[in-house]
Amino acid sequence: MTSSSPPFPASSQLSSNASRRKSKYTWKHLSTLAAASPHCPLRVIAHLDLDAFYAQCETVRLGEDPAKPLAVQQWQGLIAINYPARAYGLNRHVTITEAKEKCPDLICQHVATWKEGDTKWSYSDDAFKEIATRKVSLDPYRIQSRRILAVIKDCLPKDLQRVEKASIDEVFLDLSAHVHHLLLARYPELRGPPPYDDPTEPLPRPPITALDWAADTLIDLPAPHSEEDDPDWDDIALHLASEIIRDVRARIFTELHFTSSAGLARNKPIAKLGSAHHKPAHQTLIRNRAISHFLSTMKFTKIRHLGGKLGDEVIAAFNTEHISDLLLVPLPQLQKTLGDDTGAWLHATIRGEDHSEVNPRTQIQSMLSAKSFRPSINSFLVAGKWLRIFAADIFSRLVEEGVLENRRRPKTVNLHHRQGASTRSRQAPIPLGRQVTEEGLFDLARQLLAQVVGDGRAWPCANLSLSVGGFEDGVVGNRGIGGFLVHGEEAKALKEGVGRRSEGREEGEGREPAEKKRKVGEEGIGRFFGAKGWRGGDGGRGGDVADHVEVNEYEEAEEEEEDEHEGHEGDEDPAPEDLQNSTAALTNPPSSPIDKIYSPPSTHPPSQPNPHQPSNHDHSNHDPKHAPGYLPCPDCSILVASAEQAEHADFHFALALQAELGGNGGGSGSGSAPVDSAQQQRPASAKAGGHGEDGVSGKGRGRGRGRGRGGGSRGEGRERGQRKLAFG
């Protein structure tokens, strides 16, 4: 009897083929690639490095053949050498004389310099002879760096690019999102949802069995891997990224005539090592499977952050500088020797593990311009000339940072002065709310130098530097105070309009526009004391209650009442002399103004309203039940809102106290205001006349306290228009 099921070997072969059709990467890895996650194993980072950048800048500027040997000179040394010159064995440690001996055809171009007293850098063939009066400028190279960065960004989709400027000639690019976009476009099988909607399901294997790496430098694979192995999606992603970078490098050369080298890998440290692996004008790809082999052949001092003091410490501790030797040191020993954090970081780094992000918003935090003097300088005048150069140098870089558009600006300026072994520093804030200018930086620098000189022993000066720091994002779209003011013809027209309205009001013709009217009634200013308006006990500024209102507050209340005149045609503003001379109010009885503002209950029939009080304020004849939330005042019978009862009672108390002070305080008035019932109900201590609780003539305690000024010494000697404010 035969079985319908296939024989075991066939089943085994089918299972083996099925497993080969699956990738070791999952659908989740694909989604994290789109988000440029630093932990995604499919991630692709590129490091682009300009070849002998300073030398290329001078070659392009001079229009020289790139095949000719050229070096950039600074004083008597070399700071950049192109690759044709390096073929003669030249490096940055040789002198000009030695370089000319090894390469007679060498072109030596001195860097641009600032000359003492100038406000713009320039090129000079004799600059090396004037070291005492010139300062190096790197502005020509910064200008070219900005142009190159602009081309790089223009090559990439704006919504998918992540570009970090690492230095003047280095750029990191996270191509993950861009590569993900290309993957979905070229391989439709990656667009669908994962099987069973499970993101941990493996991706299907790529439909290709080989990739063309001919245009790139490819790091060899270690055993047991082989070039005969089928590529996985990490290889596909790296291959797509290499196409992107190849196009970027080609465009930089076509448009700006600069060659560059690139490295591509899954993180920043490995990509940077790759760009230096095969120079010039090449790009190196380090596949995930090749990372361990690539690192095992080099020194760890070439890795970022391991070339300085930390690298020296590791060499001293383990007596080696080779990664292959350090791989044998276990993690606990690294942590015991270097500390937990540093040991763990080193253990991961030498194995190619790094999760640092490409930061497109990397910004400088300070700018420095400095000069060492040989011989030393000995006067404020000479130092001032150098400060002007420093200010111009820094300001040109601030313009690059967007200081003119207020995108970024520094908060402080710092001056460092060295005399022998002694260094002194001074710092000052850069004023906010004011445009940063070259002249402003220079003035601040001179002030700081003056402080150093004022401390004594400023000369001779061996080194002087100026820096700015504390950068912050500027406020965009903010308006200065000038934006809220009117000027010129607009101000003149506005003034004339106000004058015409005033004349019309005096003649009974002018009226405020409807939108300028103040609401009269419980929302108007009269609600504060349950009546239509308040100007103190005498209707102006003469009363003691009015003295407790500051000038600007009173003027604001006056403006509001002027807007209410349309509803108060019977009211008149106090005469200017009454507003300016408050002493006269105490020498005359305030009965008339009080009667005008707070008249007794109306005796007019309903058909004939009181001319001094509009009907919407005349609550004296109203039944309280028709005014919910209002209660009649026991002194004047006016309906007052419940919340205003206490303040209204204070007003009556103030009037009573004013009347008593007018009679007992030594005033010269011939009459006195009638004392109402509110005054009679107050305790005797609250109705003190000439002497209040604090024992000072003319003062009384209480919320509505006032001061008698009729004949007291406190009211004498005051000029016209002066007032006295109460401070408690």
Side-chain angles (χ1 to χ4, degrees):
M1 176 176 166
T2 59
S3 172
S4 61
S5 55
F8 180 77
S11 177
S12 177
Q13 183 179 4
L14 181 63
S15 176
S16 176
N17 290 337
S19 65
R20 283 199 298 267
R21 285 198 297 270
K22 295 292 186 180
S23 168
K24 66 179 179 181
Y25 301 104
T26 66
W27 291 88
K28 182 177 181 181
H29 293 148
L30 185 64
S31 65
T32 56
L33 178 68
S37 169
H39 299 279
C40 178
L42 297 174
R43 183 187 189 211
V44 185
I45 304 297
H47 179 261
L48 196 146
D49 188 8
L50 277 299
D51 300 320
F53 181 55
Y54 290 0
Q56 278 205 87
C57 287
E58 298 301 342
T59 298
V60 172
R61 183 182 68 85
L62 296 172
E64 295 286 352
D65 183 356
K68 290 184 178 180
L70 181 144
V72 179
Q73 178 182 352
Q74 180 176 317
W75 313 131
Q76 294 297 330
L78 301 179
I79 62 172
I81 304 167
N82 69 359
Y83 286 91
R86 295 182 192 185
Y88 288 86
L90 302 185
N91 56 55
R92 286 182 291 182
H93 300 290
V94 301
T95 64
I96 300 296
T97 303
E98 294 172 338
K100 291 282 188 179
E101 291 175 355
K102 291 184 177 182
C103 181
D105 297 329
L106 180 67
I107 301 172
C108 287
Q109 174 61 54
H110 200 283
V111 296
T113 56
W114 299 82
K115 188 175 182 180
E116 180 182 346
D118 286 352
T119 58
K120 178 64 178 176
W121 52 266
S122 61
Y123 282 93
S124 173
D125 294 336
D126 298 327
F128 67 96
K129 300 177 182 178
E130 303 173 339
I131 186 173
T133 59
R134 287 185 179 269
K135 177 192 175 306
V136 169
S137 173
L138 301 181
D139 277 0
Y141 312 133
R142 294 191 186 100
I143 292 172
Q144 294 300 328
S145 177
R146 292 199 305 272
R147 295 178 64 195
I148 293 169
L149 185 63
V151 170
I152 293 172
K153 291 184 175 181
D154 192 52
C155 290
L156 305 173
K158 294 189 185 316
D159 56 334
L160 300 175
Q161 62 180 245
R162 291 176 69 90
V163 180
E164 174 186 333
K165 184 177 179 180
S167 70
I168 195 171
D169 63 342
E170 294 178 89
V171 175
F172 282 109
L173 302 96
D174 190 335
L175 302 173
S176 302
H178 193 178
V179 166
H180 178 268
H181 178 75
L182 295 178
L183 280 174
L184 298 188
R186 297 190 186 184
Y187 303 96
E189 60 267 31
L190 299 180
R191 301 176 190 171
Y196 318 111
D197 288 330
D198 184 1
T200 62
E201 282 287 313
L203 292 167
R205 291 287 294 190
I208 54 177
T209 58
L211 294 170
D212 180 13
W213 305 100
D216 305 307
T217 299
L218 203 62
I219 300 298
D220 293 335
L221 297 172
H225 302 286
S226 168
E227 296 295 342
E228 301 300 324
D229 297 339
D230 290 342
D232 207 338
W233 290 113
D234 58 336
D235 300 318
I236 304 292
L238 193 65
H239 190 267
L240 291 175
S242 70
E243 295 178 5
I244 297 171
I245 293 301
R246 201 179 300 122
D247 292 341
V248 170
R249 292 175 49 240
R251 185 166 168 184
I252 293 173
F253 181 77
T254 301
E255 296 188 11
L256 304 176
H257 312 295
F258 288 94
T259 64
S260 58
S261 299
L264 292 92
R266 71 182 182 191
N267 58 45
K268 293 170 71 174
I270 307 300
K272 181 174 173 61
L273 291 173
S275 65
H277 181 72
H278 192 183
K279 274 177 160 289
H282 285 82
Q283 63 185 44
T284 302
L285 276 61
I286 305 99
R287 292 166 289 181
N288 289 353
R289 292 175 288 162
I291 289 177
S292 60
H293 176 65
F294 177 63
L295 292 177
S296 63
T297 61
M298 65 178 57
K299 298 177 180 180
F300 60 76
T301 51
K302 292 185 177 181
I303 299 177
R304 264 180 109 190
H305 309 304
L306 282 172
K309 292 182 179 180
L310 178 58
D312 294 340
E313 183 181 349
V314 175
I315 293 173
F318 300 100
N319 196 29
T320 184
E321 58 180 343
H322 294 282
I323 291 179
S324 57
D325 295 332
L326 208 57
L327 287 170
L328 303 176
V329 181
L331 175 60
Q333 186 176 348
L334 289 174
Q335 292 179 315
K336 181 179 179 181
T337 306
L338 304 173
D340 291 345
D341 293 339
T342 304
W345 173 83
L346 180 61
H347 183 269
T349 299
I350 61 177
R351 287 166 173 78
E353 298 174 11
D354 181 88
H355 303 297
S356 57
E357 295 188 40
V358 172
N359 184 5
R361 292 176 294 277
T362 299
Q363 296 173 322
I364 60 174
Q365 297 302 317
S366 64
M367 292 179 179
L368 172 72
S369 186
K371 171 70 177 176
S372 293
F373 304 109
R374 302 182 185 91
S376 300
I377 58 175
N378 292 279
S379 72
F380 190 93
L381 179 62
V382 175
K385 293 180 180 180
W386 286 109
L387 289 181
R388 180 170 287 282
I389 290 177
F390 297 164
D393 185 19
I394 290 175
F395 183 73
S396 66
R397 283 180 268 167
L398 287 175
V399 171
E400 299 173 17
E401 286 295 302
V403 70
L404 296 182
E405 297 82 13
N406 203 31
R407 292 197 305 267
R408 294 192 79 217
R409 57 172 291 147
K411 293 193 295 186
T412 59
V413 58
N414 308 272
L415 179 79
H416 299 274
H417 172 283
R418 180 163 61 83
Q419 181 195 37
S422 175
T423 301
R424 282 178 286 182
S425 301
R426 294 292 182 273
Q427 183 183 88
I430 297 176
L432 295 175
R434 167 185 319 180
Q435 182 72 47
V436 178
T437 63
E438 179 182 328
E439 195 64 30
L441 291 176
F442 175 58
D443 289 341
L444 288 173
R446 282 174 54 89
Q447 295 173 23
L448 295 177
L449 180 61
Q451 295 177 20
V452 173
V453 174
D455 293 341
R457 301 194 60 179
W459 317 113
C461 174
N463 180 277
L464 197 62
S465 69
L466 188 70
S467 65
V468 293
F471 278 82
E472 62 182 1
D473 294 335
V475 179
V476 180
N478 205 17
R479 295 176 62 190
I481 191 172
F484 296 92
L485 305 177
V486 291
H487 308 275
E489 295 299 325
E490 185 180 359
K492 183 178 179 181
L494 183 61
K495 185 176 180 181
E496 291 176 353
V498 171
R500 285 193 296 269
R501 287 197 300 271
S502 299
E503 293 173 2
R505 186 177 292 119
E506 290 178 2
E507 298 173 3
E509 300 172 355
R511 293 290 183 271
E512 289 288 313
E515 63 271 16
K516 292 291 185 178
K517 295 178 184 178
R518 293 290 199 273
K519 184 177 179 181
V520 179
E522 65 180 27
E523 294 299 325
I525 195 170
R527 73 182 179 87
F528 288 106
F529 287 106
K532 72 177 181 179
W534 177 68
R535 305 213 175 193
D538 61 347
R541 292 175 77 165
D544 290 286
V545 178
D547 278 349
H548 289 269
V549 183
E550 294 184 5
V551 176
N552 59 344
E553 292 175 345
Y554 179 85
E555 291 172 350
E556 181 179 354
E558 181 182 353
E559 292 172 0
E560 290 181 356
E561 288 201 43
E562 288 177 354
D563 288 339
E564 292 174 359
H565 271 212
E566 186 168 356
H568 295 266
E569 293 180 307
D571 291 346
E572 297 180 2
D573 289 333
E577 56 270 17
D578 291 334
L579 293 176
Q580 295 173 0
N581 189 357
S582 58
T583 307
L586 288 182
T587 60
N588 296 296
S591 55
S592 177
I594 292 178
D595 289 343
K596 180 176 70 173
I597 297 179
Y598 287 101
S599 58
S602 175
T603 57
H604 297 275
S607 58
Q608 299 178 12
N610 187 341
H612 291 294
Q613 192 167 357
S615 58
N616 62 339
H617 275 189
D618 188 5
H619 301 299
S620 55
N621 291 332
H622 292 182
D623 191 334
K625 66 182 180 181
H626 298 298
Y630 285 79
L631 295 174
C633 173
D635 301 310
C636 62
S637 300
I638 291 178
L639 290 180
V640 181
S642 300
E644 313 293 345
Q645 288 285 325
E647 200 160 2
H648 187 75
D650 280 349
F651 177 72
H652 283 292
F653 171 61
L655 294 182
L657 187 60
Q658 170 187 301
E660 186 169 340
L661 292 176
N664 302 331
S668 58
S670 57
S672 62
V675 180
D676 59 14
S677 58
Q679 179 186 2
Q680 297 173 2
Q681 295 173 4
R682 296 284 182 181
S685 59
K687 296 189 294 180
H691 297 275
E693 291 179 8
D694 49 10
V696 179
S697 176
K699 277 192 177 182
R701 288 291 185 183
R703 184 172 178 180
R705 61 181 177 269
R707 293 191 301 272
R709 298 180 298 168
S713 60
R714 299 169 82 85
E716 296 175 358
R718 191 172 304 163
E719 296 180 2
R720 183 179 182 86
Q722 286 186 335
R723 302 178 52 247
K724 196 163 188 178
L725 303 180
F727 295 95

